[in-house]
Amino acid sequence: MIKELEDIVKAYDIAQQQGLRTALATVVHVDGSAYRQPGARMLVTENGTLTGAISGGCLEGDALRKAQLVMMQQQPMLVVYDTTDEDDAQLGVGLGCNGIIYILLEPITAEDSNNPLQLIRQLISTRQESILITLFNKEQRKDIQPGTRMLCRQHKNVGTIPGDMLQQAILQDVQEAYHQRASIIKSYVSPDYQLTALLSYITPATQLIIVGAGNDAQPLARIAQVMGWHVHLLDGRPNYATATRFPDTTIHIAKAENALEHLVPDAYSAAILMTHNYNYDLKILQQLVHFPLPYIGVLGPAKKLQRMLEESDSITAIQRERIYGPAGLDIAAATPEEIALSIASEIKRVTAGPATSGQSLRDKKGAIHNRRAQIITTQHL
């Protein structure tokens, strides 16, 4: 999701330079099955440029037309697509899902310092988990739709929620979203209004630290970049670690003892040791275990990692659990590209959390996506 937000901000800046009006489309609720889940976003410019996605391509055309109306009227609009209706043709779009999808369309006012794009810009500027709050009136679609109003981060909130009582109730639920590490949708009812809030839980982009600038590191860097990960390359060989060989990569050329000086591996980071230089990898491993990153991969045979562990008797059992060697999933990978896919897939599985098994979706029981964010609870104020 974070890559989509980064792309949206870049597209918005380009639109601003060109003097084009824009609108933000957000999936705020899904009842049933849909390709994208609540929190998916798409930027629309008045010339028809789309960045991001709110479906697999079936809703975008109709959403574009309605977004252009929103830009013209400068009023948010809540649009509902009922894909459970077998007669898809009546909507004028080719729908293939089996759910009801609520899309909030918001015009972006550049003069508003807390407009949705400015909140998203602040969100992606720091490596912190964040909650982006979007308010909509699900029951009265013709009423005012407040839209994306607040960004909550650790010890700092930006933006405002209309009404002190409503804001206090929502901020209490923000803490619950942090605790669950998941998005929440909740309705708030008072004698004067009924509003629903999407509390989008968003984590920073994965920071991938590739230790080693050999040829086999190149496809891994490319796959990571396609995934939207922030890639750092560490190596002591300036003739290998070059921008030509590793474009769009942050390169750190240093001896093993100093390689991590300008990096802060955090809980949203992963590292893979693949220099093919045993001593360099060993020294990096002995430093990495003291950081909270959930994945440290070691390329090569199991006996290599075993030797590393024997020479690093200070590594604790808890630290050992975060070390994966031989690195990668068992997909019969043989070529550098296949090995890179295997490693990237293992990193994704580990960083996704314990609820992810890595099994084939064919064999998964129940829904593909976690549907906690589709269940709306109600609080009376």
Side-chain angles (χ1 to χ4, degrees):
M1 179 180 293
I2 196 72
K3 180 182 185 298
E4 186 169 70
L5 296 180
E6 291 173 341
D7 291 343
I8 283 173
V9 170
K10 291 177 183 176
Y12 173 72
D13 289 340
I14 293 172
Q16 285 291 100
Q17 294 169 5
Q18 297 175 344
L20 298 174
R21 291 179 296 182
T22 57
L24 183 68
T26 303
V27 179
V28 291
H29 179 56
V30 172
D31 184 4
S33 175
Y35 183 78
R36 299 300 308 273
Q37 297 302 297
R41 291 174 172 84
M42 178 178 75
L43 185 76
V44 182
T45 63
E46 62 178 306
N47 65 352
T49 301
L50 306 177
T51 304
I54 53 172
S55 74
C58 51
L59 301 181
E60 276 71 3
D62 189 71
L64 167 61
R65 290 188 289 272
K66 290 183 170 64
Q68 289 172 330
L69 178 62
V70 163
M71 289 179 234
M72 183 182 303
Q73 296 179 342
Q74 287 295 294
Q75 289 292 334
M77 176 190 301
L78 183 64
V79 183
V80 180
Y81 297 98
D82 186 353
T83 68
T84 61
D85 193 328
E86 294 182 0
D87 186 12
D88 290 341
Q90 66 178 316
L91 290 175
V93 290
L95 302 174
C97 299
N98 189 31
I100 302 173
I101 306 164
Y102 294 78
I103 308 291
L104 181 66
L105 300 169
E106 304 174 73
I108 305 302
T109 304
E111 294 75 23
D112 182 1
S113 60
N114 287 328
N115 72 47
L117 263 296
Q118 296 304 343
L119 295 179
I120 292 173
R121 186 190 305 280
Q122 293 187 56
L123 185 156
I124 67 176
S125 67
T126 60
R127 293 190 58 77
Q128 296 179 7
E129 57 181 354
S130 305
I131 307 289
L132 193 59
I133 300 171
T134 302
L135 292 173
F136 58 102
N137 195 324
K138 180 173 176 287
E139 305 306 322
Q140 301 294 331
R141 290 167 45 199
K142 300 300 182 181
D143 284 2
I144 295 174
Q145 303 292 336
T148 304
R149 301 298 297 263
M150 179 177 281
L151 169 66
C152 298
R153 293 174 294 175
Q154 296 174 4
H155 313 300
K156 185 177 182 180
N157 299 330
V158 181
T160 57
I161 300 296
D164 292 341
M165 187 177 297
L166 177 60
Q167 178 164 306
Q168 182 179 358
I170 289 177
L171 290 179
Q172 288 178 348
D173 290 321
V174 164
Q175 297 308 311
E176 181 63 20
Y178 278 131
H179 176 72
Q180 294 186 15
R181 301 177 64 85
S183 298
I184 292 175
I185 300 180
K186 189 169 183 178
S187 288
Y188 304 87
V189 179
S190 80
D192 301 318
Y193 59 81
Q194 177 172 347
L195 289 174
T196 304
L198 166 63
L199 280 58
S200 297
Y201 174 77
I202 303 170
T203 58
T206 297
Q207 177 177 248
L208 177 60
I209 303 168
I210 301 176
V211 183
N215 292 343
D216 54 352
Q218 292 176 292
L220 179 56
R222 291 196 295 269
I223 289 175
Q225 287 159 357
V226 170
M227 294 286 290
W229 298 353
H230 298 171
V231 184
H232 294 261
L233 181 75
L234 277 60
D235 203 296
R237 301 167 294 179
N239 55 325
Y240 278 75
T242 67
T244 301
R245 286 168 48 79
F246 293 91
D248 302 317
T249 300
T250 303
I251 297 174
H252 308 262
I253 301 173
K255 295 180 179 179
E257 296 83 355
N258 313 114
L260 295 175
E261 283 184 352
H262 302 292
L263 271 173
V264 183
D266 56 24
Y268 306 99
S269 300
I272 176 69
L273 309 180
M274 53 191 309
T275 65
H276 303 283
N277 180 322
Y278 176 83
N279 289 326
Y280 196 100
D281 283 353
L282 175 62
K283 291 177 181 178
I284 296 292
L285 174 64
Q286 291 170 340
Q287 298 172 65
L288 283 173
V289 293
H290 298 291
F291 293 92
L293 67 176
Y295 180 95
I296 303 172
V298 180
L299 186 68
K303 62 182 180 181
K304 173 187 174 182
L305 175 57
Q306 184 59 39
R307 180 185 168 191
M308 285 180 161
L309 296 175
E310 290 172 355
E311 295 184 26
S312 308
D313 53 10
S314 63
I315 293 179
T316 67
I318 294 176
Q319 292 170 338
R320 174 65 182 89
E321 286 297 313
R322 297 186 284 113
I323 302 174
Y324 293 77
L329 297 183
D330 183 7
I331 57 172
T335 67
E337 291 77 13
E338 291 172 347
I339 293 170
L341 177 62
S342 169
I343 293 170
S345 299
E346 183 176 50
I347 292 171
K348 175 58 181 173
R349 179 178 64 81
V350 171
T351 56
T356 303
S357 66
Q359 67 181 348
S360 295
L361 291 175
R362 181 194 65 178
D363 302 324
K364 183 173 182 177
K365 306 302 181 184
I368 294 175
H369 299 286
N370 185 332
R371 293 189 175 180
R372 280 187 297 178
Q374 295 185 18
I375 301 172
I376 299 180
T377 57
T378 301
Q379 178 177 343
H380 292 271
L381 302 178

